[in-house]
């Protein structure tokens, strides 16, 4: 076993009858790393995470999670990880502290250290003064913090966060990621799924899956640098008509509305700026602004999935 990795799997596969939900995934996650796991709906993300968490047994795989063989020791895996779902599996009729006490009991935390552990986590997530508040009265951002504290109550070295910031406000989202980065500095490994592409930038490495297969992997910078198209932002007199003209020209990979202009994806084989201007002005539409755009992770995500 390679002690550098918190997760190290080869050929991870799950079949349900004749249907292959996860198809031969191989990847590793370093200890203390913030690792992103991205894919469209139905890509196999949830099935993969359930296997990594020891909730369902793979049809086939080599490797381990948290030092435990993924095929034979899935019960041990469950005891040594933290899991936070997007729906924040909390008991609404319990107080903040009662929720934490319940999850500590489920994980077998020694009652001799429980009080100290709860105090430590409440301070970490900024909820010391809310310990006696009913969970049902908390806002989404506070419930998110409580869910994270409950996932960490047994001090796991590895945590899984499934869409952890879904439905919370931007400030709570930023504070949450600050906390995750602090946990990483302490050596806690985090595997996170998110639909917010700007959040994926916080991850040290990412994998993208589609139809159960790995389609891309690397750091955010590596993924963006591998993008095989040029992107332009253009503003013109009539953006809706301009979009339709460019779409129907057959010259571009994709054209869509973006803010008050157009997001144009072009082959590197042509001068996209010149071609956009030429086509629009030939059709009587004046171009006021046109400039290259930086590739985003959303661009990579969309076109890797589309090309798969």
């Amino acid at each position: 076993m390679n002690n550098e990795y918190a997760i190290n799997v080869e050929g991870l596969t799950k079949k349900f009858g004749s249907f292959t939900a996860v198809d031969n995934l191989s990847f590793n996650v370093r200890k203390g790393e913030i690792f992103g796991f991205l894919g469209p709906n139905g890509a196999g993300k949830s099935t993969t995470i359930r296997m990594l968490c020891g909730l369902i047994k793979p049809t086939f795989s080599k490797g381990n999670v948290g030092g435990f063989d993924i095929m034979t020791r899935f019960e041990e895996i469950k005891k040594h990880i933290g899991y936070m779902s997007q729906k924040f599996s909390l008991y609404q009729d319990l107080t903040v502290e009662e929720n934490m006490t319940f999850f500590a009991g489920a994980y077998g935390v020694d009652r001799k250290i429980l009080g100290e552990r709860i105090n430590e986590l409440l301070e970490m997530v900024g909820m010391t003064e809310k310990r006696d508040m009913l969970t049902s009265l908390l806002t989404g951002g506070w419930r998110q913090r409580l869910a994270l504290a409950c996932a960490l109550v047994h001090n796991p070295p590895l945590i899984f966060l499934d869409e952890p910031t879904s439905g919370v406000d931007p400030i709570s989202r930023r504070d949450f990621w600050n906390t995750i980065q602090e946990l990483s500095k302490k050596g806690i490994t985090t595997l996170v799924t998110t639909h917010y592409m700007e959040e994926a930038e916080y991850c040290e490495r990412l994998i993208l899956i589609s139809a159960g297969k790995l389609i891309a992997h690397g750091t955010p910078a590596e993924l963006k640098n591998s993008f095989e198209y040029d992107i332009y932002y253009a503003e013109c007199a009539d953006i809706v008509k301009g979009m339709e003209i460019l779409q129907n020209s057959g010259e571009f990979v994709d054209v869509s509305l973006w803010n008050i202009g157009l997001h144009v994806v072009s082959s590197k084989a042509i001068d996209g700026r010149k071609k956009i201007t030429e086509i629009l002005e030939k059709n009587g539409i004046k171009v006021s602004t046109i400039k290259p755009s930086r590739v985003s992770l959303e661009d990579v995500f969309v076109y890797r999935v589309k090309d798969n």
Side-chain angles (χ1 to χ4, degrees), residues 9-67:
V9 293
E10 297 178 22
L12 182 64
T13 300
K14 184 62 181 180
K15 295 178 179 289
F16 296 98
S18 61
F19 174 68
T20 302
V22 177
D23 191 358
N24 196 35
L25 292 185
S26 297
F27 63 95
N28 56 60
V29 181
R30 300 185 187 102
K31 290 181 178 178
E33 188 171 31
I34 302 174
F35 191 87
F37 194 73
L38 308 179
N41 291 335
K45 297 192 305 296
S46 296
T47 301
T48 302
I49 289 175
R50 290 175 68 195
M51 288 190 285
L52 296 176
C53 290
L55 298 174
I56 58 175
K57 185 178 179 180
T59 303
F60 173 81
S61 184
K62 294 180 180 179
N64 67 85
V65 176

Side-chain angles (χ1 to χ4, degrees), residues 288-306:
S288 55
T289 299
I290 183 167
K291 58 186 177 181
S293 290
R294 290 183 178 180
V295 175
S296 69
L297 279 177
E298 183 172 354
D299 292 315
V300 177
F301 179 83
V302 168
Y303 291 100
R304 289 281 187 165
V305 170
K306 185 180 291 187

Side-chain angles (χ1 to χ4, degrees), residues 197-218:
M197 291 299 113
E198 69 273 17
E199 286 190 350
E201 296 279 1
Y202 290 114
C203 299
E204 294 165 70
R205 289 190 299 147
L206 305 161
I207 63 171
L208 276 60
I209 69 168
S210 180
K213 296 180 180 180
L214 189 151
I215 58 172
H217 64 92

Side-chain angles (χ1 to χ4, degrees), residues 169-215:
D169 63 88
I171 294 176
S172 295
R173 192 178 301 152
R174 182 194 62 196
D175 291 343
F176 181 84
W177 276 101
N178 287 339
T179 300
I180 295 303
Q181 290 173 321
E182 289 302 313
L183 292 173
S184 178
K185 292 176 183 177
K186 296 177 181 178
I188 293 177
T189 308
T190 303
L191 189 149
V192 58
T193 69
T194 178
H195 281 137
Y196 296 106
M197 291 299 113
E198 69 273 17
E199 286 190 350
E201 296 279 1
Y202 290 114
C203 299
E204 294 165 70
R205 289 190 299 147
L206 305 161
I207 63 171
L208 276 60
I209 69 168
S210 180
K213 296 180 180 180
L214 189 151
I215 58 172

Side-chain angles (χ1 to χ4, degrees), residues 106-122:
Y107 281 114
V109 176
D110 189 337
R111 296 193 69 84
K112 294 179 182 178
I113 65 168
L114 179 58
E116 181 180 349
R117 181 63 179 158
I118 288 177
N119 289 339
E120 176 187 341
L121 287 169
L122 286 174

